[in-house]
Amino acid sequence: MTDEQNPRTGQTPTGTVRTITASIGQVLVSARGLQKSFGDRQILKNVDFDMKAGDITVIIGKSGSGKSTLLRALAGLTDPDDGRIIFDGEVVFEDEERTEVWEELDSHVGMIFQSYTLWPHMDVLANLTLAPLKKLGLSKEEALERAKRSLAEVGMSDHLRSKPSQLSGGERQRVAIARALMMEPKLLLCDEITSALDPPVAAEVLGVLQRLKETDGIAIALVTHDMAFAARAADRLVFFHEGEIAVNTTPDDAFNRNDNPDLKKFVDAVRF
Ligand SMILES: Nc1ncnc2c1ncn2[C@@H]1O[C@H](COP(=O)(O)OP(=O)(O)OP(=O)(O)O)[C@@H](O)[C@H]1O
Ligand SMILES: [Mg+2]
């Protein structure tokens, strides 16, 4: 792999980044018939799924049910075995392959994980500007300006020169969000990003995401095991069960009016 290659896609930047046209309330990303197996175990069975710009979709489900695999497929970290992914009206994955427009849309997709994936030896500024300098070809001044804007959005303006080790967990997670914002994503995939945080700090991070969906119209998918967090955050709630979307509804309906036995068992197990 050369320096120019995107570590995620293995592709070299072309400088072409397509502008996204979906506005708040319109479908931004669709998955149709997604399938993925590891060995002889089918993990994604036939997943159909839409996400709208400006919505937070919370994905819940048992450990091992395939939630992270779904997010990774949408982020381009795992190629599905079959199915289609449509992003802003363009087919980006079909017939077991990424299509030509994949790369032009790829930088609009950001993913954040539970364990903070910041580079420990770099300060916040360097962490934020590394990818945009390389992938988007921004000048240092432009990257600095964008870093200041992104940090302001997550309330971390005072920490431009901090090292990750000098930050609390919640602060690191907010920097991880700011880093994703540097690429001006329209789809943000968050995999258990608040699991290691205490409730008030998790609420702060949630507040940041809620502002982003409202101000920037970002579509956000959030995988979490925290039901209170799910109920508060979600516009849509997806219950993932054995590789399939078993329930896709509002959080109120999911928690109070749904008679799916697997969801009931799942919710009852965490009620106290
Ligand atoms: N790269 C891989 N190779 C082999 N098996 C995998 C791989 N990635 C995931 N799996 C398996 O696929 C299943 C689903 O994993 P996944 O990480 O999607 O579950 P999850 O719903 O996110 O679970 P958790 O809530 O524990 O994070 C698991 O049984 C896991 O072991
Ligand atoms: Mg997972």
Side-chain angles (χ1 to χ4, degrees):
M1 190 153 94
T2 70
D3 244 18
E4 289 301 297
Q5 279 176 315
N6 178 343
R8 204 142 59 75
T9 60
Q11 288 167 327
T12 17
T14 56
T16 330
V17 176
R18 193 174 284 232
T19 310
I20 300 295
T21 56
S23 47
I24 293 182
Q26 292 181 322
V27 172
L28 178 72
V29 62
S30 302
R32 290 290 174 268
L34 279 198
Q35 306 211 22
K36 179 74 187 176
S37 296
F38 292 113
D40 56 5
R41 289 185 53 219
Q42 200 175 3
I43 304 303
L44 301 182
K45 287 187 180 151
N46 200 4
V47 175
D48 290 343
F49 181 54
D50 287 331
M51 283 179 65
K52 289 181 180 166
D55 264 6
I56 295 183
T57 303
V58 169
I59 303 172
I60 59 171
K62 267 199 239 165
S63 178
S65 59
K67 306 178 298 294
S68 296
T69 305
L70 174 61
L71 288 203
R72 291 172 62 81
L74 294 175
L77 293 166
T78 302
D79 279 350
D81 299 330
D82 204 358
R84 186 195 286 185
I85 300 173
I86 301 143
F87 191 74
D88 199 36
E90 299 277 357
V91 177
V92 294
F93 189 94
E94 191 173 42
D95 295 334
E96 301 169 38
E97 281 186 10
R98 295 167 186 194
T99 66
E100 282 170 9
V101 291
W102 174 278
E103 201 187 338
E104 293 171 29
L105 288 158
D106 178 48
S107 70
H108 293 293
V109 183
M111 184 151 174
I112 312 171
F113 303 89
Q114 172 180 355
S115 49
Y116 327 102
T117 40
L118 303 173
W119 296 105
H121 58 290
M122 290 182 185
D123 67 12
V124 166
L125 176 63
N127 263 288
L128 262 61
T129 54
L130 186 70
L133 285 170
K134 279 195 174 176
K135 278 174 69 177
L136 303 181
L138 298 188
S139 70
K140 275 193 173 166
E141 292 71 28
E142 287 167 328
L144 175 63
E145 279 317 301
R146 204 182 273 203
K148 285 182 178 166
R149 266 205 319 272
S150 299
L151 286 173
E153 284 205 75
V154 301
M156 289 292 290
S157 296
D158 296 340
H159 293 279
L160 201 63
R161 290 292 176 188
S162 304
K163 289 273 180 65
S165 60
Q166 297 168 317
L167 303 174
S168 73
E171 288 169 341
R172 269 181 248 171
Q173 210 49 295
R174 281 188 282 157
V175 171
I177 296 172
R179 185 170 62 176
L181 294 181
M182 292 293 286
M183 305 303 285
E184 301 185 334
K186 282 295 174 185
L187 173 64
L188 196 54
L189 306 162
C190 304
D191 199 353
E192 299 195 41
I193 63 169
T194 56
S195 311
L197 307 178
D198 66 38
V201 177
E204 242 173 63
V205 171
L206 175 61
V208 169
L209 296 177
Q210 273 169 329
R211 263 202 313 284
L212 286 176
K213 73 159 196 173
E214 281 158 20
T215 55
D216 302 359
I218 297 179
I220 299 171
L222 260 180
V223 169
T224 183
H225 287 288
D226 179 342
M227 292 305 122
F229 187 80
R232 261 203 327 273
D235 295 297
R236 300 292 301 177
L237 193 119
V238 165
F239 174 57
F240 213 74
H241 187 68
E242 294 177 358
E244 288 176 298
I245 292 182
V247 175
N248 180 354
T249 182
T250 62
D252 186 32
D253 275 351
F255 292 129
N256 301 316
R257 275 181 288 283
N258 203 279
D259 51 14
N260 178 293
D262 299 311
L263 175 57
K264 275 193 160 164
K265 247 189 264 165
F266 187 79
V267 173
D268 285 346
V270 294
R271 256 198 246 279
F272 52 91

